[in-house]
Amino acid sequence: MKATTGTVGAAQEAVAELRQVLGRAGITLPSLGLDVVTLAADPPRPLVELGCCTVETARLLAAAVLPREESRT
């Protein structure tokens, strides 16, 4: 049972870390969280749900993943 808690706990930490980093980049994903269906497995195998976003947010994500300097090559 401890390994399961660690897995879910690690997933929750990853979501919190991603939310914080995205926030520093000015990006908000309102649906960011853990996929509840994957938490129901035995043992849970949590997936991070990014959810839907606006076109503007998608472009901000693209720019954050590949900065302009790299995208010019």
Side-chain angles (χ1 to χ4, degrees), residues 14-54:
V15 168
E17 181 181 344
L18 180 57
R19 182 175 284 118
Q20 182 181 44
V21 170
L22 288 173
R24 287 195 307 242
I27 301 169
T28 300
L29 295 177
S31 301
L32 180 62
L34 295 181
D35 176 58
V36 294
V37 173
T38 60
L39 295 175
D42 187 24
R45 291 184 176 88
L47 293 177
V48 175
E49 177 70 49
L50 300 176
C52 297
C53 66
T54 65

